[in-house]
C-alpha cells in the first residue's frame, strides 16, 4: 500500500469513533438561589387528580450510573406527589431495544410503595429505541391510567440519542393532550430533547444530573396548571438567568508534517507537506432562562450584622458567619455588654521573649474585646497593665468608662522589652493592680486578671499565683501552646486557660473569654455546713517534694470554702513514721489561719500506715469531743502514694459506718487493688498520674465533696454522747442515755455516789440547714476523774 494511503487509513482509524458534539447542560445561579430552589422543592405539593408516567431510558448509551440517577430524580418528584388512587397515580416504563412496563399506574396506592418499586428497578441495557417506546404508548395508552379523563403527564428521562425517529410519535402524543417533560442525563442531545418536550420548551426541558433544580423546574411548571401548589403563598414561579453548556469535540489544525507519495510510472518517491490536525473538547456556553419556584428565605432580611454572612438552613432558619470579635453572638450583634459586675485587669507580657509582634497582637486582642463587649450600660470596668522586668499599669481599672477614650489610651501603650518576670508581675498585681481604694466586702465586684503571654516566665510563678488567688483574684490565661502548662499552673485549672494557634485564632477566643468572665466557677460548698478533714501521706514512699505538692493542692482546695465555725471547718492529719494531727477541725476559725497551718504541716518520712491513720481519725479527730459538730456532714479526703494502704479497709469502713464520707486520691503507680478496696460502694476513688497533675482533678474532687455535703446525716453519727453514752434520735433531735456514774445533756458530768444509777439528759439540735451549734459550745473534753 502506498505511504500516503496508509497515512489516510491511520487518520480514519484514529478519529472514526469521535463524536463531533457532546452537549451538556449546567445551571449556574448564585449559592443563595440554589439554596432557595432546593428548599422550595420541599414546599410544593401536588394534590390534583393526575396520571404521571415515568419513561426511563435503560440503554447502554445511558449506562448504569446515569440510570440510577434517573431513578433518583423520579423518587424526588414522587416526594411531592399525593399518591393515592383518587388523586395522583404513578407508573413507570423502562425502554431500550424494546419497552418494558415496570408497573402500571394503578399498581400502588401510596408514595412509599411507588418509591420502593422505582428503587428496585433493574438496568436492562440495549439500543436506544425511544421512538418504539412512544409508539407503544400511542397504541396502548397510559397503562392503568384513567383514559384522558384526568391530565396525563409523561416524564421522559433519556440522553436523547435515539436510534430511530422520535419527532412524529412525540407530536402525536402531545396532540392527544399528553404533557411531555424531556429530562436529560449524562451528555444529552438537546435537539432531540426539544423535539420531545411540550411547549414552552424552556419550561419542559430539564437536566436530571442537577436533581434539586430539575425537580423544582418540573413542579414549578405543573403549578402553573394548578396540578401542584406551594405551601406558602409567598412562593412564586420566577424566571432567572442560567447557562446551558455544550461540550463539543472540535478538530483543530496543528500544523504540517512531511508525507511521501510515489508517482505513477516511475520509481521516484516524492515528499510533500501534509496538514496535521488534533481533536479537543471545548465548552460552549449559551445563555438561557430557567423557571423555578423560589420562596422568601430567612436571609432575605439580611439579619447578620457587622459584616456577618448569612447561611440559610431551609426556608425559616439560618446561621451567621461572624467576624472574630462578634463570633458566638446572635446575628453578629454589635455589642453584648458584659452583664456581670466585674473589674478586669488585662496583664500583657511586653518582654523580649514575647517580641514586639506578640505584644501588638495582645494589644489588638484587648482592643477588639473592648469594642465587642463594652457599652455605656456595661457593669464591667477594664484596666490594662504591661510587664517585663517591672509592672506598669497603663490604664487603671475603671479610669475610662467611655470606650473611644479607652481605645485611645491603648494606642499609646508601647512595647518595653526586657526579662519575662511573670511571677513578679502577678505578686505586684495582687498587691496594687486594682488600686488601694477598691471597695471591700459584699460591695466589691469580682476581680479578674487576664494574663496574655507567649513567653515562658524567667522567675517562679506558683507562689505568686497562689498569693493572688488567696486574695480572691480570678486568674485567666491566654497564650500559645508553648506556655499552656505554665498558664495552667498560674490559673489553677485547665478550664481557666485559652490557647490559640495563630493570630486570627486569638481573636476567635473573645466570645469564650467573655463567657468565662461572667460565669462563676463552681465554688466549694459555700452555703453548706461541712466538717472537712484532709489526710496527707507524709511517708518516705511519697518524698518531701511530692508532699509539698500535696500541701499546695489542699491549700488551693481550701480557697474554695468559706472557713468559719458556722459553715466549713477544716482539719489536717499527716502520717508517716507516726500519725500526727497537724490541726483539728475547731483549731482555726478562719481561712487565712488554716492556710498558714497547712504550709507548716511537717513531713514525717518513715513507713506510713493508712489504716493506723484512719483509726486515729476515727478515735481522735472526727469526734464531738475534738470539734466535730452533730448533724453536720463530714468528709475525709485521703491523699496517698498507695504504700501502706493494705490494712486500711476495716478502719475506712468504721468511719463510713459512723456517718463519715471518705474519698481516696491515689497518686502515681499506686497499688490499685488495695486502694480500690477503700473506695466503698460509691466508688469514692480518684487516680492521678503524678503529683504535678493533682491540680487537674480539683473540680472533680470539689464536686464529690459538695455532693457528700448534701447527703442526709444522722444527729447520732458520730455520737455526741460522751463516756459510752447511747444517742437516741427523738422528734428531729436526740438525747443521750448515760452510763452509771455520768450525767448531763452529753453525759459529760460525774454523778454523785448517791444518785440514781442512770442519769438521762436531752439535747435538742437545730434542724438540718439551720445554723449548726457552734463548736466552742459543744461539750468540753472530759477531765480526769474526781478523787
Amino acid at each position: 500500500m502506498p505511504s500516503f494511503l496508509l497515512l489516510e487509513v491511520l487518520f480514519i482509524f484514529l478519529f472514526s469513533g469521535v463524536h463531533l458534539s457532546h452537549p451538556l447542560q449546567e445551571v449556574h445561579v448564585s449559592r443563595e438561589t440554589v439554596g432557595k430552589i432546593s428548599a422550595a422543592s420541599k414546599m410544593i405539593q401536588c394534590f390534583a387528580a393526575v396520571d404521571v408516567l415515568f419513561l426511563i431510558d435503560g440503554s447502554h448509551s445511558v449506562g448504569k450510573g446515569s440510570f440510577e440517577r434517573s431513578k433518583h430524580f423520579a423518587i424526588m418528584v414522587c416526594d411531592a406527589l399525593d399518591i393515592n388512587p383518587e388523586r395522583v397515580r404513578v407508573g413507570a416504563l423502562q425502554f431500550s431495544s424494546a419497552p418494558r412496563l415496570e408497573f402500571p399506574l394503578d399498581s400502588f396506592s401510596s408514595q412509599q410503595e411507588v418509591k420502593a418499586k422505582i428503587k428496585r428497578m433493574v438496568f436492562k441495557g440495549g439500543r436506544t429505541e425511544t421512538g418504539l417506546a412512544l409508539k407503544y404508548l400511542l397504541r396502548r395508552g397510559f397503562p392503568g391510567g384513567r383514559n384522558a379523563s384526568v391530565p396525563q403527564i409523561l416524564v421522559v428521562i433519556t440522553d436523547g440519542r435515539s436510534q430511530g425517529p422520535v419527532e412524529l410519535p412525540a407530536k402525536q402524543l402531545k396532540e392527544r393532550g399528553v404533557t411531555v417533560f424531556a429530562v436529560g442525563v449524562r451528555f444529552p442531545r438537546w435537539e432531540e430533547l426539544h423535539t420531545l418536550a411540550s411547549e414552552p420548551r424552556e419550561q419542559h426541558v430539564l437536566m436530571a444530573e442537577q436533581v434539586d433544580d430539575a425537580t423544582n423546574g418540573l413542579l414549578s411548571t405543573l403549578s402553573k396548571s394548578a396540578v401542584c401548589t406551594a405551601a406558602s403563598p409567598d412562593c412564586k414561579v420566577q424566571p432567572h438567568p442560567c447557562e446551558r453548556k455544550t461540550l463539543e469535540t472540535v478538530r483543530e489544525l496543528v500544523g504540517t508534517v512531511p508525507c511521501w507519495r510515489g508517482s505513477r510510472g516511475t520509481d521516484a518517491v516524492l515528499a510533500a507537506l501534509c496538514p496535521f490536525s488534533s481533536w479537543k473538547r471545548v465548552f460552549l456556553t449559551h445563555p438561557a432562562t430557567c423557571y423555578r419556584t423560589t420562596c422568601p428565605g430567612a436571609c432575605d432580611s439580611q439579619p447578620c450584622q457587622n459584616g456577618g454572612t448569612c447561611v440559610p438552613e431551609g426556608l425559616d432558619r439560618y446561621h451567621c458567619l461572624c467576624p472574630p470579635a462578634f463570633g458566638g453572638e446572635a446575628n453578629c450583634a454589635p455589642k453584648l455588654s458584659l452583664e456581670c459586675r466585674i473589674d478586669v485587669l488585662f496583664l500583657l507580657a511586653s518582654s523580649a521573649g514575647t517580641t514586639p509582634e506578640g505584644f501588638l497582637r495582645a494589644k489588638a486582642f484587648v482592643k477588639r474585646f473592648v469594642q465587642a463587649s463594652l457599652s455605656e450600660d456595661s457593669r464591667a470596668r477594664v484596666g490594662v497593665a504591661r510587664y517585663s522586668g517591672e509592672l506598669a499599669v497603663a490604664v487603671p481599672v475603671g479610669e475610662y468608662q467611655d470606650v473611644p477614650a479607652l481605645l485611645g489610651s491603648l494606642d499609646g501603650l508601647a512595647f518595653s522589652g526586657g526579662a519575662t518576670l511573670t511571677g513578679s508581675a502577678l505578686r505586684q498585681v495582687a498587691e496594687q493592680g486594682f488600686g488601694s481604694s477598691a471597695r471591700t466586702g459584699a460591695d466589691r465586684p469580682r476581680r479578674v486578671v487576664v494574663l496574655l503571654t507567649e513567653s515562658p516566665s524567667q522567675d517562679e510563678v506558683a507562689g505568686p499565683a497562689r498569693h493572688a488567688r488567696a486574695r480572691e483574684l480570678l486568674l485567666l490565661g491566654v497564650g500559645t501552646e508553648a506556655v499552656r502548662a505554665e498558664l495552667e499552673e498560674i490559673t489553677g485549672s485547665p478550664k481557666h486557660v485559652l490557647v490559640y494557634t495563630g493570630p486570627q485564632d486569638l481573636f476567635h477566643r473573645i466570645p469564650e473569654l467573655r463567657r468565662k468572665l461572667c460565669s462563676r466557677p463552681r465554688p466549694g460548698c459555700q452555703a453548706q455546713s461541712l466538717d472537712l478533714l484532709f489526710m496527707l501521706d507524709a511517708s518516705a514512699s511519697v518524698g518531701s517534694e511530692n508532699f509539698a505538692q500535696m500541701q499546695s493542692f489542699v491549700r488551693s482546695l481550701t480557697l474554695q470554702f468559706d472557713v468559719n465555725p458556722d459553715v466549713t471547718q477544716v482539719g489536717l492529719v499527716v502520717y508517716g513514721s507516726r500519725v500526727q494531727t497537724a490541726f483539728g477541725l475547731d483549731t482555726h476559725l478562719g481561712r487565712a489561719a488554716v492556710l498558714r497551718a497547712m504550709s507548716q504541716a511537717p513531713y514525717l518520712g518513715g513507713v506510713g500506715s493508712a489504716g493506723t491513720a484512719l483509726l486515729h481519725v476515727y478515735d481522735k479527730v472526727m469526734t464531738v469531743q475534738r470539734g466535730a459538730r452533730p448533724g453536720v456532714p463530714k468528709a475525709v479526703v485521703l491523699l496517698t502514694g498507695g504504700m501502706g494502704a493494705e490494712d486500711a479497709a476495716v478502719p475506712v469502713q468504721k468511719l463510713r459506718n459512723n456517718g463519715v464520707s471518705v474519698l481516696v486520691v491515689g497518686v502515681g503507680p499506686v497499688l490499685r487493688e488495695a486502694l480500690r478496696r477503700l473506695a466503698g460502694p460509691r466508688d469514692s476513688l480518684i487516680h492521678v498520674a503524678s503529683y504535678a497533675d493533682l491540680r487537674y482533678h480539683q473540680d472533680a474532687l470539689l464536686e464529690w465533696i459538695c455532693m457528700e455535703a448534701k447527703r442526709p446525716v444522722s444527729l447520732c453519727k458520730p455520737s455526741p454522747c460522751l463516756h459510752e453514752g447511747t444517742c437516741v434520735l427523738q422528734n428531729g433531735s436526740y438525747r443521750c442515755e448515760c452510763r452509771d456514774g455520768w450525767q448531763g445533756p452529753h453525759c459529760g458530768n460525774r454523778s454523785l455516789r448517791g444518785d440514781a444509777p442512770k442519769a438521762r439528759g436531752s439535747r435538742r439540735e437545730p434542724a438540718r440547714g439551720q445554723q449548726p451549734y457552734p463548736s466552742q459550745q459543744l461539750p468540753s473534753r472530759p477531765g480526769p476523774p474526781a478523787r
Side-chain angles (χ1 to χ4, degrees), residues 229-298:
T229 55
S232 170
D234 296 327
C235 299
K236 294 185 172 79
V237 178
Q238 294 179 321
H240 62 79
C242 56
E243 292 181 348
R244 176 174 299 167
K245 286 189 175 182
T246 302
L247 179 64
E248 293 187 352
T249 303
V250 297
R251 184 172 181 174
E252 185 179 67
L253 180 64
V254 176
T256 58
V257 295
C259 57
W260 291 265
R261 300 186 181 188
S263 61
R264 292 183 181 180
T266 69
D267 294 331
V269 177
L270 302 178
L273 293 177
C274 301
F276 176 75
S277 299
S278 67
W279 296 83
K280 69 176 183 178
R281 292 187 173 187
V282 295
F283 275 111
L284 300 179
T285 302
H286 308 282
T289 301
C290 296
Y291 290 84
R292 303 293 183 261
T293 297
T294 56
C295 304

Side-chain angles (χ1 to χ4, degrees), residues 149-360:
S149 61
V150 299
Q152 293 179 309
I153 298 170
L154 178 66
V155 182
V156 185
I157 311 174
T158 178
D159 64 355
R161 297 182 176 281
S162 178
Q163 293 172 307
V166 298
E167 184 174 1
L168 182 58
K171 179 182 177 184
Q172 291 173 337
L173 273 173
K174 288 180 281 188
E175 287 173 347
R176 292 187 183 184
V178 177
T179 300
V180 181
F181 286 89
V183 184
V185 291
R186 206 177 182 192
F187 300 107
R189 279 205 185 111
W190 293 110
E191 299 84 355
E192 184 169 311
L193 294 183
H194 278 79
T195 300
L196 292 170
S198 296
E199 295 285 351
R201 290 193 173 99
E202 65 269 18
Q203 297 180 29
H204 290 83
V205 174
L206 306 165
M207 184 65 183
E209 306 286 339
Q210 295 176 320
V211 64
D212 286 329
D213 177 74
T215 303
N216 185 296
L218 188 147
L219 299 176
S220 298
T221 303
L222 293 180
S223 66
K224 286 192 168 185
S225 59
V227 173
C228 304
T229 55
S232 170
D234 296 327
C235 299
K236 294 185 172 79
V237 178
Q238 294 179 321
H240 62 79
C242 56
E243 292 181 348
R244 176 174 299 167
K245 286 189 175 182
T246 302
L247 179 64
E248 293 187 352
T249 303
V250 297
R251 184 172 181 174
E252 185 179 67
L253 180 64
V254 176
T256 58
V257 295
C259 57
W260 291 265
R261 300 186 181 188
S263 61
R264 292 183 181 180
T266 69
D267 294 331
V269 177
L270 302 178
L273 293 177
C274 301
F276 176 75
S277 299
S278 67
W279 296 83
K280 69 176 183 178
R281 292 187 173 187
V282 295
F283 275 111
L284 300 179
T285 302
H286 308 282
T289 301
C290 296
Y291 290 84
R292 303 293 183 261
T293 297
T294 56
C295 304
C299 291
D300 289 355
S301 61
Q302 298 181 339
C304 302
Q305 305 172 50
N306 293 296
T309 302
C310 184
V311 179
E313 297 175 351
L315 291 175
D316 57 350
R317 298 180 60 190
Y318 66 93
H319 70 272
C320 294
L321 298 177
C322 303
F326 305 98
E329 303 298 347
N331 298 346
C332 312
K335 293 191 187 303
L336 272 184
S337 296
L338 288 169
E339 297 178 358
C340 53
R341 185 164 168 264
I342 56 172
D343 286 352
V344 184
L345 179 66
F346 286 95
L347 182 58
L348 281 57
S350 182
S351 62
T354 299
T355 73
E357 293 79 10
F359 176 73
L360 290 175

